[in-house]
Amino acid sequence: MRNGGITATVLLALVLGGPLGFPPCHGGELRVGIARVDVSAPQLPVLINGGMLARTGTKIKSRLYARALAVTDGEELVCIVIVDSCMLPRTLLDDVKRQAQERTRIRPDHIAIGATHTHTAPASMGCLGTDADPRYVPFIKQKLVEVIDRAVASLEPAEVGFAQANAEAFTAPRRWIRRPDRIAVDPFGNRTVRANMHAARNPDNVTGVAGPEDPYLYLIAFRRPDGRPLCIFANFSMHYFGDRDISSDYFGVFCNYLEQRLTRGAPFLAIMSHGCSGDIWRRDYSKPREQWDPFPTLEGYAHALGDLTLSALKGVRYTADVKVAMAERRLPMRYRVPDAQRLEWAKRIVEAMGDRPPKNVTEVYAREQVYLHQWGETEVVVQAIRIGNIGIATTPTETYAISGLKIKAQSPLDHTVVLDLTNGGDGYIPPPEQHLLGGYNTWPARSAGLEVTAEPRIVEACLQLLEEVSGKRRRPYVAPRGPAVDEILELKPLAYWRLDEFSGPTAVNLIGTGNDGIYEPGVVFFLPGPASELFAGNGKVNRAAMFAGGRMRARVVLPGDAYTVSLWLWNGMPLDARPIAGWFYSRGYDHGLQSYSEQLGVGGTETGGRLVYRFGSRTKAVGTANAGRWQWHHVALVREGTEVRVYLDGKLDIEAHDVPPVPREVTSWFFGGRCDNQANWEGRLDEIAVFARALTPEEVQRLAQ
């Protein structure tokens, strides 16, 4: 109901004296409002965002909606809007927030507006080869103001609870590291693509995934005091399913399915928000091709995810006594602008294009260079929301899964979800180490143009804001510790690197004796490691580093000539790719191969996957067992004077006799590569320990179990 443009909510607040334009309630009493507004294009055809080149949509397969959730504790009022859109520009959303404030008195910095990231929605902003649709932009702006107004006007008493469910069958990493001999060419004509999306369609081309996944479906559940459902706010890290006609993708089908199942004679709203999935998709390329698509249809995928939600909701505990808070920060950011040579190349191509849109990838990225040069810098919006013991952090980017895991692991609140593409469409923000690997997610453009340090800056801003809204300090990340860690510590190692860091350059020595390692460029982090139950315990995931040309180097001083190196390895290199699949341990001086250095690796065409031990440049011994590919194995090198024994999975595999000692003054140890950087390791390593004595066969077997 309206009176001269003033909402019913504002009129009621003026009469009753409620703060921030909504009816007063007792401190800590939760009130929630919901609304849904159709944002399907009123006129067709319409430009569609989500592809490299521009296209138009002429048919609506499923209606598109903006779904809004307003939450207040009587002191603070916040509103979250999730829109069936590929992405939304900050300037448009800032306009919407100002207009919404005029209608509802809600503060602009207390409104979060995010996109679901369906790739088949009308273009609300320009990106790559597609421009914003000029007829759709004013329409979507009007509808977003409307849905906020409706949500705030519908506030009613509510209770809130939280749940999460393991949904690993629904999501998988999509960015894979290519073999060093199969690096691809970027749009600028340079051979830089060491990692790219979907490169594992041919598994022979890749060594492994470039990052972890976040397998959990997060659910914030609201119900009425009488127990009837009011709203489910879901968050999941899976990029999109894929459709052709104008479609809300799995996000909309999921919401419709839950609304059909949970409506109980009163309005109910389901919302699916986009989690951190810049490097995530649904297809698991690590499995045989026939198992890539466990849910081959969009509807089947969304309904199965809905059934998982319904099951998880059964254990939710609700409360109405919560505090609501929200904070925002606007960060200035630089674009990675082209140098003079690339800009000249781009301008020539764009001038030849005239006013037409790009027709190929080269033209797309040429035009993007001109845009980045013209703009130079921008501003990104980061927010945090608190609803009781639940935190919501927002990023305006296509955020990698590892970034969301960093925020969740350190959040001061009990439960935290992270939204991406919220309050802007600022493109991919790979962690800094990922830029070296190249690929589409790193090519400078509006889709991935922010400075190399954008990811750590945005993650840190999210954590600071979560501290602000919670009134608590963040939790320092401590890797989970299972019984296998204690097994290693009981054997008194001189150094023990778990390789469980979120980022480099430091590989922490758990012993604390100062022997921290250094990761070189060409290493990525926080991938699943071996034997999680043993090394992490309690259902946690053990973490490992993935090596892609770089090494971890450390300085270790031995008191004598007896020592043991124990580690877990996972080889990603095909065994027919090169003579040595990869060297994973070396001791010697950097940048060269000395006659007294030693190396241990997995053979390729030379030995068919068997372990190879070399001293200097001569092969001293070759193992008998196959170390395999994409499998975890334990390896221990035991040295006692001139005798060397190497164990594979607890069994003696190599014996070498009369091997001269490595000079004691050689204190440089390399893991993930050889001291001369030849045939470095392509795969994961984990749980590396160095002992200042020769372990017994029984002790090695304990470490390998």
Side-chain angles (χ1 to χ4, degrees), residues 230-311:
L230 178 58
C231 180
I232 300 296
F233 187 94
N235 180 257
F236 190 49
S237 295
M238 203 288 279
H239 210 68
Y240 67 99
F241 190 94
D243 217 336
R244 182 63 190 170
D245 294 320
I246 297 171
S247 163
S248 59
D249 207 274
Y250 84 90
F251 315 98
V253 178
F254 171 89
C255 293
N256 293 339
Y257 181 73
L258 285 188
E259 287 167 4
Q260 292 169 5
R261 297 289 302 272
L262 291 175
T263 299
R264 299 286 189 271
F268 169 78
L269 182 68
I271 302 174
M272 170 58 84
S273 60
H274 201 241
C276 298
S277 54
D279 57 341
I280 302 297
W281 199 45
R282 61 186 172 86
R283 183 171 285 177
D284 187 350
Y285 294 112
S286 68
K287 295 180 178 179
R289 185 179 293 267
E290 60 273 12
Q291 298 177 28
W292 279 0
D293 289 317
F295 306 100
T297 69
L298 188 157
E299 289 74 18
Y301 178 92
H303 291 174
L305 199 60
D307 289 337
L308 185 65
T309 299
L310 294 172
S311 178

Side-chain angles (χ1 to χ4, degrees), residues 39-41 43-51 53-65 83-88 115-126 130-133 136 140 240 242-249 251:
V39 297
S40 307
Q43 296 174 294
L44 299 177
V46 64
L47 288 171
I48 298 294
N49 225 336
L53 302 178
R55 72 180 185 93
T56 56
T58 59
K59 179 182 177 183
I60 297 176
K61 177 181 176 181
S62 58
R63 307 299 296 181
L64 310 180
Y65 290 96
V83 191
D84 289 326
S85 175
C86 185
M87 56 188 72
L88 299 152
T116 59
H117 202 49
T118 170
H119 275 219
T120 50
S124 301
M125 66 173 283
T130 307
D131 296 326
D133 190 290
Y136 187 73
I140 187 69
Y240 67 99
D243 217 336
R244 182 63 190 170
D245 294 320
I246 297 171
S247 163
S248 59
D249 207 274
F251 315 98

Side-chain angles (χ1 to χ4, degrees), residues 141-342:
K141 189 183 299 186
Q142 169 196 343
K143 291 297 182 180
L144 291 178
V145 176
E146 179 183 338
V147 79
I148 295 169
D149 188 19
R150 289 189 182 182
V152 173
S154 68
L155 291 166
E156 60 178 296
E159 300 171 333
V160 64
F162 184 86
Q164 68 182 50
N166 191 327
E168 60 185 354
F170 296 82
T171 188
R174 64 172 182 160
R175 182 169 154 89
W176 284 70
I177 299 172
R178 301 179 69 91
R179 287 166 42 170
D181 58 339
R182 296 192 180 180
I183 299 175
V185 177
D186 64 27
F188 313 108
N190 301 312
R191 197 167 292 279
T192 65
V193 183
R194 186 70 211 276
N196 211 0
M197 298 183 301
H198 311 303
R201 286 192 182 104
N202 179 357
D204 193 48
N205 285 340
V206 298
T207 61
V209 295
E213 66 182 47
D214 182 348
Y216 286 97
L217 171 66
Y218 301 92
L219 303 166
I220 306 175
F222 300 90
R223 72 179 185 184
R224 295 174 173 87
D226 63 7
R228 288 179 300 169
L230 178 58
C231 180
I232 300 296
F233 187 94
N235 180 257
F236 190 49
S237 295
M238 203 288 279
H239 210 68
Y240 67 99
F241 190 94
D243 217 336
R244 182 63 190 170
D245 294 320
I246 297 171
S247 163
S248 59
D249 207 274
Y250 84 90
F251 315 98
V253 178
F254 171 89
C255 293
N256 293 339
Y257 181 73
L258 285 188
E259 287 167 4
Q260 292 169 5
R261 297 289 302 272
L262 291 175
T263 299
R264 299 286 189 271
F268 169 78
L269 182 68
I271 302 174
M272 170 58 84
S273 60
H274 201 241
C276 298
S277 54
D279 57 341
I280 302 297
W281 199 45
R282 61 186 172 86
R283 183 171 285 177
D284 187 350
Y285 294 112
S286 68
K287 295 180 178 179
R289 185 179 293 267
E290 60 273 12
Q291 298 177 28
W292 279 0
D293 289 317
F295 306 100
T297 69
L298 188 157
E299 289 74 18
Y301 178 92
H303 291 174
L305 199 60
D307 289 337
L308 185 65
T309 299
L310 294 172
S311 178
L313 290 174
K314 294 175 182 177
V316 174
R317 293 185 175 183
Y318 293 87
T319 180
D321 185 13
V322 298
K323 179 176 175 58
V324 175
M326 186 168 181
E328 176 181 291
R329 186 163 300 167
R330 292 179 175 244
L331 305 176
M333 285 277 178
R334 298 183 303 275
Y335 284 117
R336 288 179 288 123
V337 299
D339 59 21
Q341 184 178 9
R342 181 172 290 181

Side-chain angles (χ1 to χ4, degrees), residues 550-570:
R551 304 169 299 182
M552 189 276 279
R553 49 189 171 87
R555 181 177 183 271
V556 179
V557 179
L558 291 171
D561 292 332
Y563 56 91
T564 300
V565 178
S566 168
L567 56 80
W568 288 79
L569 61 80
W570 182 97

